[in-house]
Amino acid sequence: MGINFNNYQENTKYQLRIEPYCRRFKQPLQTHHGLWRDRQGIWIQLRPMTASELGEEGWGEIAPLPSFGSENLTEALAFCHSFGGEISFKQITSIPDRFPACQFGFESALIDLQALEDPPHLTNICGLLPTGKAALDPKLPIWNQGYQTLKWKIAVAEISQELKLFQDLLSILPEGVKLRLDANGGLTEQEAHQWLQACAGQPVEFLEQPLGVSEFPAMLTLCKQYQTPLALDESIATWQQFLQVYHQGWPGIMVIKPAIFGFPSRLIDFCQTHPVDIVISSVFETAIARKMLLRLVATLPNLDRALGFGTDRWFEEGIGGWGDGEIGG
């Protein structure tokens, strides 16, 4: 991607525009964290104070996810307004870690200002199935869209019911297609054992975040007991959590949501010097953040797993872009 901040001056200033948005899901998304009806966030635009031509702008997106440890939308909006429509390069690079979604959005806009080539179109995407019995509907478009990896959220109903649905799902899974099971930290340790036993010998790529964030030692133990890989998500939602888990010797997969992870450049620097098995995943961003995610994917080494980007179909009108939010700014 060629990110280069070496020529930037700390006192370089930018005009700052912000536009809050709200995009509704076609149908609410049920997870262990609750029912999600819409996606709210903030688009930002940076324009150098010295810009002389139209087109000298950079766009970024702030897409908070408080249930995963980021700032909330109200905090992010207040932070953006605190700059009074003008921000410097130094202020951007000094955004505190308690605002990881803001770190991502502002640095994304800086990167977008560098007139980089558009990122390549990617096809190795993981599709997201509806939760529960709805996933078994053969008329769902997702079954005919060529996905080689599908994700199904669990821990949203009683386990015996979900295990029965899992067997039904396996019976209609096309040959060669792999499943990712995502518990969002909603299983007990006993239930995690039940799921991992049920996964044995099945086309399950990994079981994602079976236990809560505080139960990291138990998940380490589970990794050693079963062949089905485990992946962490909520446990590594922020940069600080990621570093802690890495240094504690996590042997499994790590699902990273860059939009709430902090500065993209920090993730790039780490992955270029440390061998990690990661999956880059969406938090239901719009097209502005998606562009930055694709740039990251084109830059990060050893991304062999399907990307967690199969979220477009959940929105009423595609994945959106600047100017078509439903909340004015």
Side-chain angles (χ1 to χ4, degrees):
M1 180 164 52
I3 297 174
N4 180 14
F5 294 140
N6 293 333
N7 296 326
Y8 284 68
Q9 301 294 320
E10 286 191 349
N11 59 355
T12 302
K13 292 186 178 180
Y14 306 89
Q15 295 175 358
L16 169 62
R17 282 184 57 204
I18 68 172
E19 181 175 346
Y21 67 81
C22 177
R23 299 187 63 78
R24 292 179 177 84
F25 293 123
K26 289 181 180 178
Q27 61 189 67
L29 176 63
Q30 180 71 56
T31 76
H32 179 70
H33 297 297
L35 200 62
W36 205 1
R37 299 184 183 278
D38 55 46
R39 189 28 158 152
Q40 298 186 44
I42 308 162
W43 292 314
I44 64 171
Q45 181 195 74
L46 297 181
R47 179 175 171 81
M49 301 294 282
T50 57
S52 58
E53 300 179 8
L54 291 176
E56 293 186 54
E57 304 98 9
W59 286 269
E61 180 176 343
I62 299 169
L65 201 58
S67 61
F68 276 67
S70 84
E71 68 272 46
N72 62 40
L73 184 65
T74 300
E75 291 166 338
L77 273 172
F79 182 75
C80 291
H81 283 302
S82 71
F83 296 104
E86 182 179 309
I87 192 169
S88 70
F89 177 78
K90 182 178 180 180
Q91 287 173 315
I92 292 173
T93 58
S94 301
I95 295 174
D97 285 338
R98 68 179 182 275
F99 295 106
C102 290
Q103 288 179 337
F104 173 85
F106 276 93
E107 191 175 79
S108 295
L110 279 180
I111 292 168
D112 197 49
L113 270 166
Q114 297 187 18
L116 303 169
E117 293 183 5
D118 285 341
H121 178 71
L122 300 171
T123 57
N124 190 17
I125 305 295
C126 176
L128 179 61
L129 290 165
T131 51
K133 190 175 182 179
L136 303 178
D137 183 354
K139 296 180 181 178
L140 285 176
I142 196 170
W143 289 115
N144 300 303
Q145 292 175 337
Y147 290 111
Q148 293 301 298
T149 308
L150 293 171
K151 184 176 196 174
W152 191 51
K153 288 187 176 288
I154 60 173
V156 295
E158 204 275 325
I159 187 168
S160 62
Q161 177 186 347
E162 286 192 331
L163 286 170
K164 172 61 169 62
L165 290 174
F166 175 57
Q167 295 302 320
D168 294 339
L169 185 57
L170 289 172
S171 71
I172 65 170
L173 196 68
E175 186 176 355
V177 175
K178 294 178 290 187
L179 270 180
R180 293 175 179 174
L181 301 176
D182 184 6
N184 288 120
L187 300 177
T188 65
E189 193 169 341
Q190 180 182 357
E191 289 170 339
H193 282 284
Q194 289 178 262
W195 271 105
L196 287 165
Q197 290 161 7
C199 289
Q202 302 297 343
V204 175
E205 184 183 14
F206 55 74
L207 173 59
E208 184 174 334
Q209 195 71 41
L211 307 178
V213 173
S214 64
E215 298 174 88
F216 177 74
M219 286 189 285
L220 268 178
T221 300
L222 286 173
C223 273
K224 301 172 184 176
Q225 291 179 295
Y226 296 93
Q227 289 190 337
T228 300
L230 298 189
L232 296 182
D233 186 359
E234 283 90 339
S235 291
I236 54 165
T238 67
W239 170 250
Q240 293 76 20
Q241 288 174 313
F242 172 80
L243 286 181
Q244 182 179 14
V245 163
Y246 177 82
H247 290 301
Q248 286 177 323
W250 175 251
I253 301 154
M254 298 194 232
V255 179
I256 293 177
K257 294 174 164 56
I260 58 168
F261 198 71
F263 294 117
S265 59
R266 195 160 54 182
L267 176 60
I268 292 170
D269 289 344
F270 185 92
C271 290
Q272 287 178 340
T273 55
H274 300 78
V276 285
D277 187 355
I278 66 173
V279 174
I280 297 297
S281 183
S282 167
V283 291
F284 291 88
E285 314 88 351
T286 68
I288 289 176
R290 179 65 59 90
K291 187 176 183 180
M292 183 65 229
L293 294 187
L294 292 176
R295 283 175 168 162
L296 269 174
V297 170
T299 303
L300 296 172
N302 304 318
L303 290 183
D304 300 324
R305 299 182 184 276
L307 306 168
F309 289 177
T311 56
D312 301 1
R313 71 177 187 86
W314 287 81
F315 288 107
E316 290 288 353
E317 302 173 6
I319 56 176
W322 184 274
D324 65 353
E326 297 177 11
I327 300 176

